[in-house]
Amino acid sequence: MSWVGWANGELDTIRAQGRWRSTVSFDACGPVGTVAARGSVTSFASNDYLGLTSHPAVIAAAHAAIDRWGTGSTASRLIVGTRPIHAQLEAALAAWKATEAALVFSTGYSANLGLLATLAGPGVRVVSDELNHASIIDGCRLARAEVLVARHNDLDHVAQLLAGAGRGRAIVVTDSVFSMDGDIADVTGLSELCAATGSLLVLDEAHVVLGTDQPVAHGAEVVRVGTLSKTLGALGGFVAGPGPIIDLLRNRARSFIFTTAPSPADTAAALAALTVVRSAEGESLRRHLRALVDRVRPGHPSPIVPVVLGSEERALHAAEALLEQGMLVPAIRPPTVAPGTSRLRVALCAAHTFEQVDALARALADLPGSLDTTIRPLETP
């Protein structure tokens, strides 16, 4: 059989499983835009949680960087791809995360690959939460370490798995905010376990935006992974932590060494966005986002609000019904989530209005067959 014939067979299997996917062009700068053949829609699917991709200061910084350095970095960071803006962003990220140093990668995905493949070699035990992001899973696979999967947010299970590591090195790795459920890890509890066992705690904070930071136990060694493409509205990723670990990544992380540096425009945009995030304006944006989340699911810790529908067919039909009402909410299906837990993944951002979110909440409450009983129609205050 030819390779094309094999590929066609695989595609037939995907179609037969009802899991065919294709890209949808969304013409927008902000949450409102157009989808071909659908007209104007409001997106509830973006990870631009604070709406900073369209912030004037962020756009201006990207323009200025292009004017000064051009559109590309021209090489990897260790050749001639590093510009002054990269070092400025790394210093600002380290200050933001209260760490000794930080290192910028081309994406958040490559940051996890580089970190885990560098630190978690043979002889290391890695304990990974079962709902961790794909980039963590793939980083663990590349590491060639002993990888054990812990039940979701189960501290006792993590402790059991760490106990088997003996005197060898161990890493506990977890999302701080989980990307499909929007719930949070017990960072304090995990840090206490790591401090007691001498394990390294790796936190992927890609979706942290609503003040879900938790105190870390004294004596715990922590490395933080983040992205520039969500809260900071640009593109790229970073690792922040102790200086020696960052130096080691700069010298050994293959996803850092062997790829072109992030563009000056993206780097400058992220730095400008970080300035906004750490300002009074950033605090105001987080308060507005917090209020929006509470209108859909009071007290939920993140802007990611899952509406579990069960079957893939039901999730697809629900997404289509919302799209007919001018609301773009993606259906999330296996293998992204477990079979029987297909869902709508609502992602709120500070650029949404109360009116837009209230309309969404009413539409969600009217969906037939939902397994999720936490959505209720809202009264206008």
Side-chain angles (χ1 to χ4, degrees):
M1 178 183 292
S2 71
W3 280 103
V4 171
W6 171 83
N8 281 326
E10 293 296 303
L11 293 174
D12 289 341
T13 299
I14 293 172
R15 290 187 184 95
Q17 293 172 337
R19 293 179 181 174
W20 182 261
R21 291 168 169 82
S22 60
T23 57
V24 176
S25 179
F26 181 51
D27 190 354
C29 182
V32 179
T34 58
V35 173
R38 297 289 187 166
S40 179
V41 300
T42 301
S43 167
F44 295 96
S46 168
N47 292 326
D48 181 22
Y49 297 127
L50 296 180
L52 295 181
T53 58
S54 55
H55 192 286
V58 176
I59 293 173
H63 277 295
I66 290 174
D67 291 340
R68 178 173 177 180
W69 293 297
T71 58
S73 295
T74 74
S76 64
R77 290 286 307 279
L78 293 178
I79 305 299
V80 291
T82 296
R83 302 288 178 270
I85 195 70
H86 291 104
Q88 293 169 30
L89 176 59
E90 287 168 344
L93 290 168
W96 184 36
K97 295 300 180 179
T99 61
E100 291 179 355
L103 188 65
V104 169
F105 286 73
S106 57
T107 65
Y109 201 105
S110 65
N112 268 328
L113 294 187
L115 173 67
L116 293 168
T118 299
L119 299 187
V124 175
R125 171 168 290 191
V126 179
V127 178
S128 176
D129 189 284
E130 65 179 331
L131 296 188
N132 276 342
H133 188 266
S135 59
I136 294 176
I137 295 170
D138 291 351
C140 290
R141 289 171 176 168
L142 284 173
R144 301 177 184 175
E146 177 191 15
V147 180
L148 301 177
V149 178
R151 291 185 294 269
H152 181 51
N153 269 343
D154 188 331
L155 286 179
D156 291 337
H157 195 209
V158 172
Q160 292 171 18
L161 297 177
L162 285 176
R167 295 184 178 180
R169 289 179 295 133
I171 296 172
V172 176
V173 57
T174 184
D175 284 336
S176 292
V177 174
F178 292 89
S179 61
M180 289 298 117
D181 290 89
D183 60 336
I184 62 175
D186 183 350
V187 171
T188 299
L190 289 171
S191 69
E192 290 170 349
L193 285 176
C194 288
T197 59
S199 304
L200 178 68
L201 178 59
V202 174
L203 300 173
D204 185 332
E205 299 181 329
H207 296 276
V208 172
V209 63
L210 284 179
T212 53
D213 291 340
Q214 302 172 55
V216 171
H218 177 71
E221 292 184 294
V222 180
V223 173
R224 301 176 187 273
V225 181
T227 177
L228 311 178
S229 62
K230 296 179 174 64
T231 299
L232 298 181
L235 181 65
F238 67 91
V239 178
I245 288 180
I246 300 304
D247 286 340
L248 184 62
L249 293 176
R250 189 179 293 107
N251 283 273
R252 286 192 179 170
R254 293 172 66 84
S255 61
F256 172 81
I257 296 170
F258 296 107
T259 193
T260 299
S263 75
D266 285 317
T267 308
L271 181 58
L274 182 55
T275 300
V276 174
V277 167
R278 302 187 74 189
S279 71
E281 180 185 2
E283 182 59 33
S284 178
L285 290 170
R286 285 188 292 274
R287 284 197 301 269
H288 179 63
L289 180 58
R290 175 72 265 169
L292 293 175
V293 173
D294 287 340
R295 294 177 81 83
V296 179
R297 184 170 293 174
H300 189 65
S302 79
I304 303 165
V305 182
V307 181
V308 179
L309 296 166
S311 72
E312 296 177 50
E313 181 181 22
R314 189 174 293 168
L316 289 169
H317 286 168
E320 178 64 24
L322 291 175
L323 191 55
E324 290 291 333
Q325 299 177 62
M327 304 173 194
L328 180 57
V329 185
I332 307 297
R333 302 171 281 155
T336 306
V337 294
T341 68
S342 292
R343 66 195 64 188
L344 299 177
R345 179 186 183 272
V346 174
L348 301 174
C349 79
H352 286 129
T353 67
F354 287 122
E355 292 75 16
Q356 290 168 337
V357 171
D358 287 351
L360 171 69
R362 288 191 294 269
L364 291 174
D366 289 340
L367 288 175
S370 174
L371 303 180
D372 195 318
T373 61
T374 61
I375 303 294
R376 291 288 185 271
L378 300 173
E379 297 180 0
T380 302

